[in-house]
Amino acid sequence: MNVSFRTASPTALIAALQQARDYTLALYDQFIEADRGLPHQAPFLSTINPPLWELGHVAWFAEWYILREASSSAPDTAIGHSLLTRGDDWFDSNTVPHRMRWHLDLPPPGALKTYCHEVLDRVLDRLSGVPDTRRDLYPYRLILAHEDMHGEALAVTQQTLGIPTVSKLDVMDASSWAPRTIPFGAATFEMGLPRESQFVFDNEKWAHPLHVRAFEIDAALVSNAQFIDFIEDGGYSYPRFWSPEGQSWLVSQGLSAPRDWEREDGQWVTWRFGRKIPLFPYEPVRHVSLHEAEAYCTWAGRRLPEEGEWEYAATSGHAGFQWGGLWEWTASPFQPYPGFARDAYQEYSAPWFTTHRAVRGASPATSARLRSPKFRNFFLPTRNDQFIGFRTCALRQRTTSA
């Protein structure tokens, strides 16, 4: 379903919520088939959640905001109790630390699947009588976006653990890739979303004028072939290409190429969802950290685009600017827009300001209804497990006084 979740009608939301839940359950079944569906069946990793916890959490989140009519994510704002005796103790991400999620005595998969079905049935029953207004549909659009995001998180977990996937993420289409750049003149544009929007995340509020200086940006993301040139020129060996933080990260990881890459009989191969495949030269390079992206830029005499430059290019209407194949690192810290205020989901953005880097675009695992050139994602600079790559910009000309 390609209708944006932001503008979907009640009828469209009913279909989309059902589709999202079916997809979540299909992804989870892949973990069951691989005997990795429970916390103790997978190694503890700080970057991912146990698949069984993810399954319960998406249903709990919908129950919290719809069935229990919570006014916010703060404790004691919901009505009544969870359908599960210990639902709040197990699945409230604000009160259950990440490490604890791997050690919870969760219900068995069958019981949580029943919970998922029961919650969704009740949600859809309520939605069938909801007026088609921005205010009334807000929580339904929120839980749909939330489940789509966790669907992508489950796909990331599948790649991280080497689990076969029902999604089509093994090989990406790079048929339109071309090594060219696009010049943009200086301009002022409206960054963010306007107040009349049907649905807005708090970090997208509100539209405000932003001036960008003239810049030149890659039409497409950096390819595997370009990144191999960096590797073979000593990119992972020479400290001069890496920031101090990047050097520390590189030493801690012991990498000499992006994660999941291997050299085999003189050729590069990579692991995708538990399967070793040839590394296609014109695919965008993926699963690279911000530190690797910055090191490449230093080596190439380029830089990452600022978040405003990326949004301006993506919304300019220029047919040559390709985006949506992967999430993309930017040069900008993840920061609030002027006048920021938290929404009902209070922890969606605010805890991650300054520590995380602004990320733009979308990945093949991103639901079509979530994709927008205005959507802001954000990751820690060390994350290389995500479906993430980067493009570069020309360095700015330095001005000198007479």
Side-chain angles (χ1 to χ4, degrees):
M1 179 171 295
N2 295 326
V3 176
S4 171
F5 81 100
R6 299 174 189 263
T7 58
S9 66
T11 300
L13 284 171
I14 287 173
L17 285 164
Q18 184 66 66
Q19 184 275 332
R21 183 58 49 83
D22 290 345
Y23 182 63
T24 298
L25 292 168
L27 288 174
Y28 181 74
D29 284 344
Q30 297 296 113
F31 292 97
I32 293 293
E33 291 177 16
D35 200 26
R36 298 286 189 93
L38 301 173
H40 65 271
Q41 293 171 321
F44 167 77
L45 293 170
S46 62
T47 55
I48 59 177
N49 288 311
L52 188 63
W53 186 89
E54 291 268 12
L55 184 66
H57 172 70
V58 294
W60 178 89
F61 190 90
E63 182 186 28
W64 178 263
Y65 281 102
I66 305 298
L67 304 185
R68 298 172 65 188
E69 302 177 10
S71 58
S72 79
S73 55
D76 303 324
T77 62
I79 298 171
H81 302 283
S82 173
L83 295 173
L84 295 173
T85 305
R86 297 181 56 200
D88 293 357
D89 296 332
W90 287 323
F91 299 120
D92 187 344
S93 58
N94 296 321
T95 59
V96 183
H98 184 273
R99 181 175 288 274
M100 184 185 296
R101 298 169 195 174
W102 292 84
H103 305 289
L104 294 170
D105 184 21
L106 298 176
L112 280 186
K113 286 184 177 182
T114 298
Y115 172 59
C116 286
H117 289 303
E118 179 67 19
V119 169
L120 182 61
D121 286 346
R122 297 189 185 197
V123 166
L124 298 186
D125 183 62
R126 287 200 181 191
L127 178 53
S128 64
V130 170
D132 190 353
T133 69
R134 178 171 56 183
R135 179 177 179 179
D136 290 310
L137 293 181
Y138 175 86
Y140 295 92
R141 289 170 173 154
L142 175 64
I143 67 167
L144 175 58
H146 176 264
E147 184 146 0
D148 280 340
M149 291 176 193
H150 278 274
E152 180 159 356
L154 280 170
V156 171
T157 301
Q158 288 179 325
Q159 167 65 18
T160 302
L161 298 180
I163 306 296
T165 182
V166 296
S167 54
K168 298 177 181 179
L169 300 173
D170 288 17
V171 180
M172 295 167 55
D173 178 20
S175 58
S176 60
W177 187 89
R180 65 188 185 88
T181 61
I182 302 172
F184 286 98
T188 299
F189 78 107
E190 289 291 304
M191 189 172 185
L193 284 167
R195 295 179 184 272
E196 61 269 20
S197 301
Q198 289 295 303
F199 182 98
V200 184
F201 289 110
D202 57 12
N203 64 48
E204 299 167 336
K205 297 179 178 178
W206 290 109
H208 57 284
L210 182 76
H211 180 76
V212 292
R213 292 182 287 169
F215 64 101
E216 179 188 285
I217 190 168
D218 292 341
L221 282 75
V222 170
S223 70
N224 287 329
Q226 290 174 304
F227 205 82
I228 288 171
D229 289 342
F230 164 65
I231 296 171
E232 295 182 345
D233 197 34
Y236 280 77
S237 303
Y238 297 122
R240 66 178 181 271
F241 298 137
W242 298 76
S243 67
E245 296 82 4
Q247 289 182 49
S248 298
W249 176 84
L250 188 60
V251 169
S252 71
Q253 299 298 305
L255 292 173
S256 56
R259 65 179 293 155
D260 302 325
W261 284 30
E262 293 180 7
R263 192 85 163 163
E264 190 173 87
D265 298 327
Q267 302 295 321
W268 286 102
V269 297
T270 188
W271 287 93
R272 297 273 172 86
F273 299 98
R275 185 168 66 97
K276 189 185 293 184
I277 64 172
L279 192 68
F280 294 94
Y282 296 112
E283 270 190 348
V285 64
R286 65 198 269 184
H287 300 300
V288 289
S289 69
L290 173 69
H291 302 308
E292 290 165 293
E294 290 180 332
Y296 175 93
C297 287
T298 300
W299 169 81
R302 306 278 289 178
R303 64 177 177 87
L304 292 175
E306 297 170 2
E307 187 179 14
E309 291 173 330
W310 191 97
E311 183 172 320
Y312 177 68
T315 57
S316 68
H318 195 295
F321 188 82
Q322 305 170 35
W323 69 272
L326 284 178
W327 293 113
E328 304 181 35
W329 291 111
T330 76
S332 304
F334 181 52
Q335 298 278 25
Y337 287 163
F340 170 82
R342 300 187 191 206
D343 277 344
Y345 186 7
Q346 296 181 1
E347 295 76 24
Y348 178 66
S349 304
W352 323 118
F353 289 141
T354 71
T355 59
H356 288 50
R357 184 61 63 99
V359 171
R360 289 305 192 100
S363 87
T366 307
S367 172
R369 54 183 163 254
L370 274 181
R371 292 168 179 258
S372 166
K374 298 286 187 177
F375 184 85
R376 306 178 75 197
N377 209 340
F378 43 94
F379 297 128
L380 284 170
T382 55
R383 294 293 295 269
N384 64 352
D385 59 321
Q386 296 289 331
F387 304 113
I388 189 168
F390 65 99
R391 74 179 75 218
T392 72
C393 285
L395 297 176
R396 296 192 184 282
Q397 295 286 339
R398 291 188 178 182
T399 58
T400 57
S401 58

